[in-house]
Amino acid sequence: MILTAQETHQLKKAPHVPDVLPIFHERWSPRSFSDREVSNEALSKAFEAARWAASSYNEQPWRFLVGRRGTETYKKIFESLGEFNQKWARTAPVLILGVARDNFTHNNTPNRFALYDLGAAASYMTLEAASLGLHTHQMAGFDQDKARNLLGIPADYLIGSVIALGYQDEPSKLGDDRLIGQETAPRQRKPHSEFVYESWQTPLPLA
Amino acid sequence: MILTAQETHQLKKAPHVPDVLPIFHERWSPRSFSDREVSNEALSKAFEAARWAASSYNEQPWRFLVGRRGTETYKKIFESLGEFNQKWARTAPVLILGVARDNFTHNNTPNRFALYDLGAAASYMTLEAASLGLHTHQMAGFDQDKARNLLGIPADYLIGSVIALGYQDEPSKLGDDRLIGQETAPRQRKPHSEFVYESWQTPLPLA
């Protein structure tokens, strides 16, 4: 028996710690996307959240190229995806490429926080999307040069991730045992002791 | 008349767009921190949120070095700050340095998303902190090499930002007109048209 979409969502939310904002558990990265369209209003809210992320010198280095299914931008982003990601991402109604200006507007010096700040803005976007019942899946597996060339992204912008955005569909529709297995497996994360330190590699006592 | 802490917080939240999760507006970056201590429970929740950020290959490359006032780690992080940041950050009860492993554990190849994913995890942390009534301020202005040497951070970890964490205090306590001016000014962000594109530098119609 393959878990349903709803059972899968509940399972992914399972490691919920009481009193942490539920939104952090609502967001996870499915691969089974339904072809249900995403409204302008929902997209607008997702980017409104991204807008308020913090950034070094308030540079807001992030730019998002948004492809809705059927548009040239969608086709170009999709074409740059690796074969594995093309297999499942083809049903997502929206594909987004995040990029970041790699120098500061105020003095043209390198911004070493360009990707860091893009990561923050993209994560705000994915959290807001999750609060609207949408799902997102960020991908590293695409041809950066191809994406840059097809979409005409200037050399002074760093390429971030491709983000599939849409509504979750039944895991069974992935039609591939490996994909279905990943889709319906519990989420895994390191314990606090492995990433919250008092000094290098010494866990911070938090109890 | 200098705005009070509460008036300042309301002003910073002012650009609230209806129906976007309020947490995105609750988080902003003050400089006036009170010396009120932060509980283990609150810190634990903030890092629990960070824990659930997305990352490339689920590497979770982020590590956080946490200094509570009076500890060696605090002193070392503080010592690495630039003069300007030392001026205001000295009252913050917690200083955190975020770093990211720059290659993948599974195959030791470079992880070009290390800082991107650290930015996401740090932003989850700051949002959860905001939901607990805490404030955070991320800083780029510190001596990376000094921080690396003092804290013994290995060469295969990239340095992210220093994060001051604590409770907001009265802006007037900053005792410096320029700092007070920044603290009590409205927040500024680019409109959607400048960062949400249909194709390069062409705004996506969202209305």
Side-chain angles (χ1 to χ4, degrees):
Chain A
M1 278 301 293
I2 297 171
L3 295 184
T4 65
Q6 204 180 358
E7 286 164 349
T8 301
H9 187 64
Q10 287 306 318
L11 174 75
K12 298 287 185 179
K13 283 169 55 184
H16 181 74
V17 170
D19 302 332
V20 176
L21 283 180
I23 195 62
F24 297 118
H25 296 284
E26 291 285 340
R27 189 217 60 78
W28 60 279
S29 306
R31 291 206 176 86
S32 184
F33 282 92
S34 87
D35 56 10
R36 179 178 162 194
E37 290 301 329
V38 176
S39 70
N40 278 335
E41 195 192 357
L43 269 185
S44 193
K45 285 181 186 176
F47 289 115
E48 178 62 17
R51 193 173 167 231
W52 293 101
S55 62
S56 184
Y57 285 93
N58 198 24
E59 170 70 26
Q60 307 161 61
W62 48 78
R63 307 287 183 274
F64 297 100
L65 273 150
V66 183
R68 285 176 172 286
R69 198 180 9 235
T71 64
E72 280 306 302
T73 296
Y74 188 98
K75 282 175 207 161
K76 289 170 181 174
I77 297 176
F78 186 81
E79 204 180 316
S80 71
L81 294 180
E83 201 180 332
F84 173 74
N85 286 329
Q86 284 192 342
K87 232 162 92 168
W88 60 265
R90 63 179 65 248
T91 57
V94 182
L95 291 176
I96 301 164
L97 175 66
V99 304
R101 192 184 147 120
D102 77 350
N103 49 37
F104 286 111
T105 309
H106 69 284
N107 65 3
N108 234 35
T109 60
N111 177 3
R112 78 172 194 88
F113 285 95
L115 281 179
Y116 182 96
D117 292 340
L118 174 60
S123 81
Y124 273 41
M125 200 256 276
T126 63
L127 289 169
E128 176 63 22
S131 81
L132 301 169
L134 284 158
H135 281 82
T136 51
H137 192 127
Q138 298 201 49
M139 292 168 252
F142 63 98
D143 185 326
Q144 280 191 72
D145 293 336
K146 200 167 179 177
R148 185 184 292 282
N149 292 336
L150 289 174
L151 294 156
I153 296 160
D156 57 342
Y157 282 79
L158 300 170
I159 309 271
S161 77
V162 170
I163 307 168
L165 183 146
Y167 293 93
Q168 190 197 359
D169 205 345
E170 295 301 326
S172 60
K173 293 201 184 165
L174 288 166
D176 171 304
D177 285 348
R178 183 182 147 212
L179 287 179
I180 293 170
Q182 290 179 350
E183 190 83 346
T184 57
R187 295 166 75 197
Q188 304 284 349
R189 289 296 190 276
K190 295 182 204 292
H192 289 195
S193 59
E194 291 182 20
F195 72 95
V196 187
Y197 297 158
E198 180 173 54
S199 60
W200 188 250
Q201 292 190 333
T202 303
L204 179 75
L206 282 171
Chain B
M1 279 298 294
I2 296 171
L3 295 184
T4 65
Q6 205 180 356
E7 286 164 347
T8 302
H9 187 63
Q10 286 307 317
L11 173 75
K12 298 287 184 178
K13 284 168 55 183
H16 181 74
V17 170
D19 302 331
V20 175
L21 283 182
I23 195 62
F24 297 118
H25 295 283
E26 291 287 339
R27 189 218 59 78
W28 59 280
S29 306
R31 290 204 175 88
S32 184
F33 281 93
S34 87
D35 56 9
R36 179 177 162 196
E37 290 301 329
V38 177
S39 69
N40 279 335
E41 196 192 355
L43 269 185
S44 193
K45 285 181 187 177
F47 289 115
E48 178 63 17
R51 195 174 166 230
W52 292 101
S55 62
S56 185
Y57 286 92
N58 199 24
E59 170 70 26
Q60 307 161 61
W62 48 78
R63 308 286 183 272
F64 296 100
L65 272 150
V66 183
R68 285 176 171 285
R69 198 178 11 235
T71 64
E72 280 306 303
T73 296
Y74 188 99
K75 283 175 207 163
K76 289 169 181 174
I77 297 176
F78 186 81
E79 203 180 317
S80 71
L81 294 181
E83 201 179 333
F84 173 74
N85 286 328
Q86 284 192 342
K87 232 162 93 168
W88 60 266
R90 64 179 64 249
T91 56
V94 182
L95 291 176
I96 300 164
L97 175 67
V99 303
R101 192 183 148 121
D102 77 351
N103 48 38
F104 285 111
T105 310
H106 70 283
N107 66 2
N108 233 34
T109 59
N111 177 3
R112 79 173 195 88
F113 286 94
L115 282 179
Y116 182 96
D117 292 340
L118 173 61
S123 81
Y124 273 40
M125 201 256 276
T126 63
L127 289 169
E128 177 63 23
S131 81
L132 301 169
L134 284 158
H135 281 82
T136 50
H137 193 126
Q138 298 200 49
M139 291 168 253
F142 63 98
D143 184 327
Q144 281 190 72
D145 293 336
K146 199 167 179 177
R148 185 184 292 282
N149 292 335
L150 289 173
L151 294 156
I153 295 160
D156 56 342
Y157 281 79
L158 300 170
I159 309 272
S161 77
V162 170
I163 306 167
L165 184 147
Y167 294 93
Q168 190 197 359
D169 206 345
E170 295 301 326
S172 60
K173 292 201 185 164
L174 288 167
D176 172 303
D177 286 348
R178 182 180 149 214
L179 286 179
I180 293 171
Q182 289 179 350
E183 190 84 347
T184 57
R187 295 167 75 197
Q188 304 283 351
R189 290 295 191 276
K190 294 182 205 293
H192 289 196
S193 59
E194 291 183 20
F195 72 95
V196 187
Y197 297 158
E198 181 173 54
S199 60
W200 188 250
Q201 292 190 333
T202 303
L204 180 75
L206 281 171

